[in-house]
Amino acid sequence: MEQIGIELEKAVELILHHGVEQIKTHIIPVMKANGAILAEDIYAPINNPPFDRSPLDGFALRAGDSSHASKKHPVTLRVIDTVYAGGFCDKRLNAGEAVRIMTGAPIPFGADCVIRQEDTGFTPGKSEYTVEIYRELKVHQNYCFLGEDIKKGQMLLKAGTKITYIEQAILSSVGIMQIVVCQKPRVALFVTGDEVVPPGSQLKNGKIYDSNLTLLYNRLKEFQMEPVVAEYLPDQPEIIAEIIKKVSESVDIIITTGGVSVGAKDIFHEVYPMLQLERIFWKVKLKPGTPAMFSMYQGIPMLNLSGNPFAAITTFELLVRPLLAKLSGDKGLNTVRIKGVLAQPFTKTSGARRFLRGNLIEGKVHIPPTEQHASGILASMAGCNCLVDIKAGTNPLDMGNEVEVILLDV
Ligand code: AMP
Ligand code: MG
């Protein structure tokens, strides 16, 4: 049953209820996984480091051999080998012996500590030489254990983790080259309106340059999602219905702007019957963007947002973003609400629930002058980082009033 004029929370609930099935996954190279969402828990296949190693340049020895050693009374050990990072000493170290060792090299069998080069005296270069030990060491002093960083079998990364350069490096450090990640939803984006032309076109009488295609296309890019289709459509229901039909075969979500209100060219009311489609809801109790519409077409969620740019932004963030969060597995896209204090007054009464643009800095919410909030006004959005949620039935707001905001951060 279609619902008309519902609360925002109900609208989001309906969208998530209908719009999300199993998240699709695929395998990709770790090197290309930046920004991807891990779909499976990952356990360490090996220890890192894979062997006991030296944290510095010096000599590996047995701590017992260094007892009572000092600069005045050094202990002299026979140097039996040299081991570099990347190399391996296959000799076993016995009492009275040392192995010259570099940072990152495996500690030879038989040695239990490493002395820094600066605490020794030696003359390198000879094939057979000795080293003077100037201080006493404890067992496992200057000694990095195998698995110090990562232990084989330990939980390394949890499903749902967003892969950044750090996670990529962690995976690399245990030799993992491929991971299973959530597939990014394939988005189709359409802006409708006979008046809308792309920048670069001639601005004939009655035409305006597009804001919404650029707006939502790039917002999707900020969400690390590539719209697979992004097109301008005329206010012709047959054409729109045809294109939606076609595109529905190869996308996971359809987003449109324009044509959802009650005017003569609000063509989605004609598109729906052409697609033999029922609205799940139409009209959400919020300003701007009230006439937002939602349906499922061939199993694909379709959100039709109103065309005013600020309405498109607001309803995209409030209605579409939670769905994209679920479809992509990216919890970072879930709505974050925090409290702030108005830094400027807002002089209008809000009969209906209203969202304002704002810029939250250190707890203070800066808003443009009251007349700069209309849904057709985009420029005052520059620098804004949040939407201010003003409950229905709120009187004009004063500077210093507490408000709740929804962050636009990604
Ligand atoms: P509509 O939702 O189609 O009734 O459009 C509402 C208002 O938004 C009208 O003034 C349209 O000209 C404007 N509008 C619609 N689409 C866009 C767009 N892509 N870019 C900028 N303004 C738009
Ligand atoms: Mg229109």
Side-chain angles (χ1 to χ4, degrees):
M1 249 305 269
E2 174 183 46
Q3 307 209 30
I4 297 182
I6 57 175
E7 292 293 339
L8 170 62
E9 287 69 19
K10 180 71 189 169
V12 173
E13 192 189 306
L14 286 169
I15 291 169
L16 297 182
H17 172 73
H18 288 89
V20 190
E21 287 174 36
Q22 191 86 28
I23 296 174
K24 294 177 194 158
T25 64
H26 62 162
I27 297 172
I28 60 169
V30 169
M31 266 313 222
K32 293 202 168 150
N34 198 282
I37 306 296
L38 199 58
E40 294 178 354
D41 294 342
I42 294 195
Y43 294 87
I46 59 163
N47 288 301
N48 190 42
F51 47 83
D52 295 350
R53 70 182 175 188
S54 175
L56 43 79
D57 297 318
F59 289 85
L61 65 150
R62 293 182 172 202
D65 280 350
S66 69
S67 68
H68 305 301
S70 68
K71 182 96 199 216
K72 253 188 169 169
H73 303 287
V75 170
T76 302
L77 301 177
R78 194 161 64 85
V79 180
I80 58 161
D81 202 357
T82 299
V83 58
Y84 303 94
F88 184 76
C89 172
D90 52 9
K91 291 180 195 151
R92 193 183 169 84
L93 185 144
N94 294 306
E97 293 176 344
V99 168
R100 190 166 183 216
I101 192 163
M102 310 304 159
T103 306
I107 293 177
F109 297 116
D112 58 19
C113 67
V114 176
I115 188 165
R116 331 188 275 161
Q117 192 166 299
E118 294 86 334
D119 294 331
T120 66
F122 69 104
T123 319
K126 294 183 286 178
S127 57
E128 292 253 319
Y129 64 100
T130 58
V131 60
E132 291 193 324
I133 305 298
Y134 295 153
R135 50 178 299 193
E136 199 171 302
L137 288 118
K138 294 193 205 77
V139 171
H140 295 150
Q141 198 169 340
N142 302 326
Y143 193 106
C144 285
F145 284 98
L146 153 157
E148 176 191 63
D149 181 3
I150 294 166
K151 298 212 169 24
K152 183 175 175 175
Q154 85 175 60
M155 152 78 78
L156 204 52
L157 298 171
K158 267 194 162 8
T161 301
K162 185 166 205 160
I163 303 293
T164 71
Y165 65 108
I166 301 291
E167 286 74 22
Q168 288 173 294
I170 292 170
L171 292 163
S172 170
S173 76
V174 291
I176 294 176
M177 290 175 71
Q178 294 196 312
I179 47 173
V180 185
V181 300
C182 303
Q183 264 182 41
K184 301 281 180 195
R186 296 163 301 170
V187 184
L189 174 62
F190 297 113
V191 303
T192 68
D194 286 339
E195 73 280 29
V196 178
V197 296
S201 323
Q202 202 192 347
L203 206 56
K204 295 194 182 133
N205 276 343
K207 304 289 180 189
I208 57 167
Y209 284 129
D210 163 71
S211 306
N212 295 346
L213 189 110
T214 303
L215 182 78
L216 299 185
Y217 181 91
N218 288 290
R219 187 57 166 162
L220 288 161
K221 296 278 275 190
E222 289 187 354
F223 291 179
Q224 313 236 359
M225 290 169 205
E226 185 90 32
V228 289
V229 183
E231 281 179 28
Y232 297 94
L233 298 181
D235 285 332
Q236 293 178 34
E238 300 80 9
I239 293 182
I240 295 178
E242 205 46 50
I243 286 181
I244 287 174
K245 224 184 245 174
K246 225 169 108 193
V247 89
S248 66
E249 287 159 20
S250 55
V251 299
D252 301 305
I253 173 170
I254 299 169
I255 304 165
T256 73
T257 71
V260 287
S261 196
V262 292
K265 286 276 183 174
D266 285 329
I267 31 68
F268 275 91
H269 303 289
E270 292 168 65
V271 170
Y272 269 60
M274 286 174 186
L275 294 172
Q276 294 171 329
L277 193 57
E278 251 188 76
R279 295 182 300 214
I280 293 170
F281 70 70
W282 178 38
K283 291 187 180 168
V284 183
K285 289 184 182 164
L286 59 83
K287 274 171 98 168
T290 315
M293 217 181 262
F294 171 62
S295 62
M296 292 295 291
Y297 180 64
Q298 307 287 9
I300 291 151
M302 175 160 78
L303 280 133
N304 312 108
L305 313 178
S306 71
N308 274 305
F310 183 59
I313 295 175
T314 305
T315 48
F316 182 85
E317 291 296 319
L318 298 177
L319 301 173
V320 186
R321 180 171 169 154
L323 177 58
L324 292 174
K326 283 277 159 18
L327 289 174
S328 64
D330 187 352
K331 293 193 244 30
L333 293 181
N334 282 331
T335 306
V336 177
R337 289 176 170 271
I338 55 173
K339 296 249 193 300
V341 167
L342 273 189
Q344 289 84 26
F346 180 70
T347 58
K348 278 190 184 167
T349 300
S350 304
R353 186 173 183 179
R354 188 200 290 274
F355 285 86
L356 304 178
R357 64 206 74 189
N359 188 24
L360 177 74
I361 311 170
E362 292 173 356
K364 290 218 165 81
V365 186
H366 298 267
I367 56 167
T370 302
E371 67 280 5
Q372 290 289 305
H373 288 271
S375 61
I377 290 179
L378 176 60
S380 73
M381 202 51 213
C384 286
N385 62 8
C386 66
L387 296 173
V388 188
D389 187 354
I390 314 274
K391 303 278 177 282
T394 302
N395 289 325
L397 291 161
D398 283 332
M399 197 176 122
N401 281 171
E402 192 182 73
V403 288
E404 198 172 70
V405 307
I406 290 177
L407 298 181
L408 296 175
D409 303 354
V410 178

